[in-house]
C-alpha cells in the first residue's frame, strides 16, 4: 500500500549514518526544511513528509490529533523500510516528535526539539485554538499569515525567507490547518515523558522566539537526561530558515554523535 503522506526522500545510497526524519510545523509544509535537505542529503538519508492536511498530503476534515500524525510518520517509515532514525521537529512538529517517542521510542536514535514546548494546552489555549480553527475555515489563511509573519520569523529576517514562509502559510488548506489546531488543543502533557527519554536530544530555539521563548527550551533541556541546548541569535520561531548555517552546524554536531 502506498504511504498516505506526500514526502521527500533523499537517499544517497548505502551509508552507516543514521537516517534523519524532519517534521515540519504549523501551518507549513516540507519545504520548510529546504536548507537541511540541501545540507545533509549528500551524506545520509533525509526524509521530510508533508503532514496530513498540509502541503501535498491529503486533508482530513474535523480533528487530527498528534497521535494520528505520529502514526502517519510511523507508517511512512515502515513503507520506506527505515527501522531506526533521528527525528527532528519544529513547533507543532516538535510535539509530534514527542508523541512519536511515546509511540515508537525504541526506533528513535536521537531527538531534535526546535522551538517547541511539552506542556498540555491550557483551557484558554484550547478555546483560542478552536476559535482560530473556525476563523481559518471562514476567512482562509491569508489574513492570519499576514498577522503572524513577523512572529514566525523575526521582522529583520531576509526578505526571501519571509516570502517563503508567507507562501507556505497561504498555500495551506484551511481545513487541514483547522483539523490540526483542534487536534493539537487536545494533546497530552509530555513533560514527564521527557524525563524518561534515554537517547540523546538536541534542543534548539531562536533567541527572539516569542511563541516558544528560550525559557521553554531551557526547561526541556533541564528535563531531558541527555541533552544539548543551542540558542540561535538573530532568529525567531524558524531558526532553521532564518539562520540555516548555524542551525545546520548544531544539527551536524548532534548527528555526528549519533553516527559514532
Amino acid at each position: 500500500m502506498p504511504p498516505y503522506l506526500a514526502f521527500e526522500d533523499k537517499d544517497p545510497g548505502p551509508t552507516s549514518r543514521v537516517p534523519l526524519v524532519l517534521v515540519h510545523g504549523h501551518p507549513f509544509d516540507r519545504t520548510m526544511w529546504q536548507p537541511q535537505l540541501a545540507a545533509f542529503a549528500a551524506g545520509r538519508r533525509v526524509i521530510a513528509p508533508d503532514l496530513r492536511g498540509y502541503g501535498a498530503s491529503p486533508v482530513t476534515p474535523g480533528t487530527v490529533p498528534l497521535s494520528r500524525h505520529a502514526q502517519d510518520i510511523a507508517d511512512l517509515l515502515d513503507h520506506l523500510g527505515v527501522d531506526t532514525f533521528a527525528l527532528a521537529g519544529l513547533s507543532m512538529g516538535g510535539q509530534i516528535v514527542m508523541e512519536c517517542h511515546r509511540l515508537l521510542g525504541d526506533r528513535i536514535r536521537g531527538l531534535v526539539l526546535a522551538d517547541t514546548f511539552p506542556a498540555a494546552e491550557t483551557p484558554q489555549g484550547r478555546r483560542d485554538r478552536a476559535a482560530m480553527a473556525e476563523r481559518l475555515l471562514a476567512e482562509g489563511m491569508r489574513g492570519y499569515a499576514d498577522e503572524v509573519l513577523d512572529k514566525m520569523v523575526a521582522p529583520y529576517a531576509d526578505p526571501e525567507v519571509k516570502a517563503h514562509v508567507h507562501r507556505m502559510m497561504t498555500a495551506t488548506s484551511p481545513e487541514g490547518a483547522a483539523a490540526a489546531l483542534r487536534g493539537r488543543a487536545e494533546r497530552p502533557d509530555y513533560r514527564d515523558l521527557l524525563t524518561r527519554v534515554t537517547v540523546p536530544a538536541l534542543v534548539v530555539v531562536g533567541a527572539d522566539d516569542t511563541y516558544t521563548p528560550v525559557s521553554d527550551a531551557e526547561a526541556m533541556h533541564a528535563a531531558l537526561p541527555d541533552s544539548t541546548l543551542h540558542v540561535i541569535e538573530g532568529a525567531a520561531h524558524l531558526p532553521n530558515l532564518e539562520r540555516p548555517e548555524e542551525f545546520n552546524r548544531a544539527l551536524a554536531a548532534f548527528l555526528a554523535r549519533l553516527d559514532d
Side-chain angles (χ1 to χ4, degrees):
M1 173 181 284
Y4 186 87
L5 302 181
F7 62 95
E8 194 154 356
D9 180 11
K10 300 288 191 180
D11 188 353
T15 175
S16 62
R17 292 176 174 174
V18 177
L20 174 63
V21 181
L22 300 166
V23 186
H24 67 77
H26 163 89
F28 308 124
D29 57 50
R30 69 181 187 266
T31 68
M32 190 196 93
W33 297 110
Q34 283 176 345
Q36 289 67 52
L37 286 160
F40 292 99
R44 76 176 67 242
R45 191 173 189 180
V46 185
I47 300 160
D50 282 333
L51 296 171
R52 180 183 294 248
Y54 296 88
S57 288
V59 172
T60 300
T63 301
V64 177
L66 296 190
S67 58
R68 178 67 265 174
H69 290 302
Q71 187 61 56
D72 286 342
I73 292 169
D75 292 345
L76 172 62
L77 296 175
D78 288 346
H79 172 79
L80 295 175
V82 177
D83 184 31
T84 61
F85 47 90
L87 187 60
L90 185 145
S91 193
M92 182 180 76
Q95 293 169 338
I96 293 169
V97 164
M98 297 180 225
E99 179 64 23
C100 284
H101 187 275
R102 188 189 67 78
L103 180 71
L104 42 111
D106 59 343
R107 296 173 63 180
I108 300 173
R109 296 274 295 276
L111 300 178
V112 181
L113 300 170
D115 298 82
T116 191
F117 65 100
E121 196 58 87
T122 64
Q124 183 60 51
R126 287 194 290 272
R127 290 190 289 271
D128 290 345
R129 291 194 190 278
M132 180 59 71
E134 293 305 313
R135 176 189 167 185
L136 296 181
L137 290 173
E139 300 178 9
M141 299 297 294
R142 181 165 294 276
Y144 167 77
D146 292 344
E147 286 175 20
V148 303
L149 180 60
D150 282 344
K151 291 181 70 177
M152 293 294 188
V153 294
Y156 50 77
D158 183 285
E160 291 186 9
V161 172
K162 283 189 172 186
H164 177 198
V165 172
H166 194 265
R167 281 196 304 272
M168 287 191 291
M169 290 194 285
T170 55
T172 294
S173 158
E175 292 80 7
L181 281 168
R182 295 190 188 103
R184 194 177 179 192
E186 299 173 0
R187 69 181 181 275
D189 192 320
Y190 295 111
R191 286 176 291 187
D192 183 62
L193 177 144
L194 292 185
T195 68
R196 302 194 305 274
V197 171
T198 59
V199 296
L202 172 65
V203 179
V204 185
V205 66
D208 295 334
D209 191 346
T210 57
Y211 283 122
T212 53
V214 172
S215 58
D216 286 351
E218 291 172 338
M220 288 193 298
H221 172 53
L224 287 156
D226 180 5
S227 70
T228 302
L229 173 63
H230 194 92
V231 180
I232 297 182
E233 299 294 332
H237 195 53
L238 293 167
N240 71 300
L241 285 171
E242 297 171 86
R243 294 289 183 268
E245 291 183 359
E246 184 173 350
F247 186 95
N248 289 351
R249 280 196 298 272
L251 181 54
F254 177 73
L255 291 172
R257 180 184 171 195
L258 303 184
D259 292 335
D260 289 342

